[in-house]
Every structure is written in structure tokens, then in C-alpha cells.
Amino acid sequence: MDAVLFDMDGLLVDTEKVWFEVETEVVERLGGSWGPEHGAALVGGSWDRTVAYMLDLTGSDAPPDEVARWLLDGMVERLLVEVEPMPGALELLAELNDAGVRTGLVTSSLKPVADAVLDVVGRDRFAIVVTADDVARTKPDPEPYLTAARLLSARPECCAVLEDSPNGVAAATAAGCRVVAVPSVVPIPAAPGRLVVPSLLEVDLNVLRALF
């Protein structure tokens, strides 16, 4: 195992409920309404896809860049107040750091959102960080995980990825990585090269090494 790569939203930190609050606020500002089914449809998706979905849902003619700014400002404002790590996340990171295992954060969120989370979780816990600002194609494309592996001088097939969304799992699988899925909103089935667990409390260094 060359490295362990963490997703952020819904895997490292419990931001999915924050996303839902911000999405609801933005869609209401656009004149529409937002429900759990809409949030679930966008889990692990890109920023541009979220904005396009909202504009299509509401029929609003608001400029996409403006809607994206509303989303970004709402997320950063809330994350500066409180960031809640997922159960077992910080303990796993500490175990990996203590063992000298290289770690990376790979997220479809923009850099300002990742920065707000890292200010609380600890930037020094990760050797590298890849955000939506660092790639041309976000998850489910493999580019984010291939970029992370390259930055770590790691072999993708020797990287373990921790993900909570189908899009993230698809990206990691396409990159050739081994995957531990911890579903948050949308179910994820077991598959060859993939371990599905209910919580990061079920994951430790031995579990990750056993993937290989």
C-alpha cells in the first residue's frame, strides 16, 4: 500500500447536512423548493453540475457564476463556525500518520471549502490536497485520484481510497485504486476490490493493508 486517499464531504467530515442547508437556501432564493431527493441526486457531484441542476429545477435565469458564489459563500460561512468530523475519521488519520503512511485529501469541493475544513481538521495531516480547482474533470472521472497518486509518486493500483458516494467510488475504481466505501446518503453495493462498511470506526491500518 503506497498511500491512503480520503474523500472529504460526508467521509472525512459531516458536511452533507450543511450542503443540504445551503442548497435549500440557494434554491429558495431562486424561487424553487428543495428536498432530500434533490440533495441525494447530487451527492459526490461537481460544483458546475449542482449549479446547472438548480437552474434547471427552478427555471431561473440567474447567472451560473452568481449562483455558484451563493453556494460557495454559504458553505464557507457555515464551515468557519463548525466542522464536525465523521466518527472514526480523525482516529484513522492519526493511526496512518503515526505509522508513516502517506495520506491525501481528494475532494470535488472548491479550494475555499476545503481550506475551511482543513483549518479545523488539520492541514498537516495530509501530504497533498486535490480539489475541484486542481483538475479539469471532477469525480466520477478518475482524474482527481490519478492526480493525487502522481503528486504522491504512488501507484494508483497501490492506493486505498475512502469514499462515501457512488461518484467517488466510480472515480477511484476507474483510477485503478482499491476502495473502502462508507455510504452516507446513497447506498453503495459491495464489489470486487471494494469493501463496504457502515462507518470509519470499522476501518484501521490492518483493514486497509488487507485490501492488497
Side-chain angles (χ1 to χ4, degrees):
M1 185 171 70
D2 287 348
V4 177
L5 307 175
F6 287 72
D7 175 49
M8 188 177 77
D9 296 299
L11 186 285
L12 178 66
V13 289
D14 188 9
T15 51
E16 296 299 353
K17 62 184 179 184
V18 181
W19 269 112
F20 184 77
E21 292 174 3
V22 174
E23 289 164 347
T24 300
E25 183 179 278
V26 169
V27 167
E28 288 178 350
R29 190 170 178 178
L30 292 170
S33 59
W34 194 254
E37 69 278 11
H38 301 300
L42 295 173
V43 170
S46 70
W47 206 268
D48 289 343
R49 179 169 172 255
T50 299
V51 171
Y53 185 98
M54 290 177 167
L55 291 174
D56 183 61
L57 176 70
T58 62
S60 171
D61 58 0
D65 288 348
E66 186 173 357
V67 176
R69 174 57 57 182
W70 297 345
L71 282 168
L72 181 60
D73 289 347
M75 283 297 295
V76 172
E77 179 181 323
R78 284 168 171 80
L79 292 174
L80 288 175
V81 175
E82 181 180 7
V83 174
E84 182 180 348
M86 295 297 285
L90 298 188
E91 293 82 357
L92 178 58
L93 264 174
E95 182 183 14
L96 294 172
N97 293 158
D98 290 345
V101 177
R102 291 176 295 168
T103 58
L105 183 67
V106 183
T107 176
S108 292
S109 286
L110 297 176
K111 187 176 184 297
V113 175
D115 285 343
V117 170
L118 288 168
D119 284 345
V120 175
V121 172
R123 193 174 306 271
D124 60 348
R125 292 177 181 270
F126 298 100
I128 59 98
V129 176
V130 176
T131 72
D133 291 310
D134 301 313
V135 295
R137 297 172 298 278
T138 56
K139 305 171 189 177
D141 192 275
E143 183 183 352
Y145 283 113
L146 292 174
T147 299
R150 176 176 53 80
L151 291 173
L152 287 166
S153 297
R155 298 163 293 178
E157 66 272 18
C158 294
C159 290
V161 169
L162 299 157
E163 269 285 356
D164 75 303
S165 72
N167 274 342
V169 168
T173 301
C177 306
R178 302 295 174 93
V179 181
V180 176
V182 190
S184 60
V185 177
V186 181
I188 299 172
R194 179 192 310 164
L195 173 67
V196 181
V197 296
S199 164
L200 286 178
L201 293 170
E202 306 288 326
V203 183
D204 61 16
L205 180 55
N206 288 333
V207 167
L208 293 173
R209 284 178 170 158
L211 294 172
F212 301 90

